[in-house]
Amino acid sequence: MHLHKYEKYWLSAGIVGLIAFLLILAFGAFYLGTHPQSHGDVIDPDNIEANEAFLPENLGLTKVDEKRYVLNVVATAFNYNLGTDEDGQPVTHLEIPAGSKVLVQATSPDVVHGLNIAGTNVNMMVEPGYVSSMEVELNNPGEYTLVCNEYCGVGHHLMFGTVEVVE
């Protein structure tokens, strides 16, 4: 079979591009530890309180050990439910000590939402019927915005909060 010289160039460029893509993918997966979620906990979206983590008293930030926390979040239409404070007001601001490991667990009873703490590697899709979870170490002090990065309806812009990492 005879290939024209330009066909050989384009074929070579395609093969080089494929090899570069696979090398970048392998670097991200094996060296950086980036992996797709291999399993997910399922939950009844009509009864999320059946899961102990999403009972109203367990929502928000809970200290587990020294420098270890669990953040339970319910994302509903245009609101992140992070629990309530002592006065019964909704929590919109969280303070976490620098260097802490935080297990973020989130679910939704209604539509697909996103949970992104801008400036960190926390970026999850929150789907009805599933518990999304991710463990992250927050080392850099500062104030970060918690936003919904999946369009969820007309009040999407109202889904925000702040996470402050303090010394």
Side-chain angles (χ1 to χ4, degrees):
M1 177 169 92
H2 174 71
L3 292 175
H4 191 272
K5 89 174 172 181
Y6 291 123
E7 287 179 306
K8 290 179 185 176
Y9 293 152
W10 283 108
L11 190 58
S12 298
I15 291 171
V16 168
L18 180 61
I19 290 171
F21 170 73
L22 291 174
L23 288 173
I24 292 169
L25 190 64
F27 174 76
F30 299 113
Y31 182 73
L32 298 177
T34 306
H35 300 286
Q37 191 170 357
S38 60
H39 70 283
D41 294 333
V42 292
I43 189 170
D44 179 9
D46 296 323
N47 187 17
I48 59 173
E49 289 85 14
N51 186 318
E52 185 178 341
F54 301 108
L55 289 170
E57 61 269 15
N58 294 335
L59 293 177
L61 192 65
T62 305
K63 185 173 183 174
V64 177
D65 269 334
E66 188 65 31
K67 298 282 188 174
R68 294 188 70 81
Y69 293 84
V70 173
L71 175 60
N72 295 321
V73 181
V74 175
T76 57
F78 323 133
N79 180 44
Y80 282 123
N81 189 345
L82 301 170
T84 56
D85 61 14
E86 300 83 30
D87 301 326
Q89 298 299 313
V91 173
T92 58
H93 180 81
L94 301 170
E95 284 191 11
I96 301 171
S100 296
K101 285 194 176 191
V102 180
L103 174 63
V104 182
Q105 300 181 122
T107 191
S108 171
D110 48 23
V111 298
V112 174
H113 295 278
L115 190 144
N116 179 284
I117 302 176
T120 71
N121 64 345
V122 176
N123 187 3
M124 301 188 306
M125 181 179 279
V126 183
E127 300 179 67
Y130 295 93
V131 176
S132 298
S133 61
M134 175 181 197
E135 188 168 41
V136 64
E137 188 169 343
L138 299 172
N139 292 319
N140 300 326
E143 189 168 287
Y144 302 93
T145 305
L146 171 67
V147 295
C148 178
N149 58 357
E150 290 283 336
Y151 183 73
C152 54
V154 294
H156 168 74
H157 64 284
L158 299 172
M159 290 187 71
F160 63 91
T162 55
V163 175
E164 187 174 359
V165 179
V166 294
E167 285 291 334

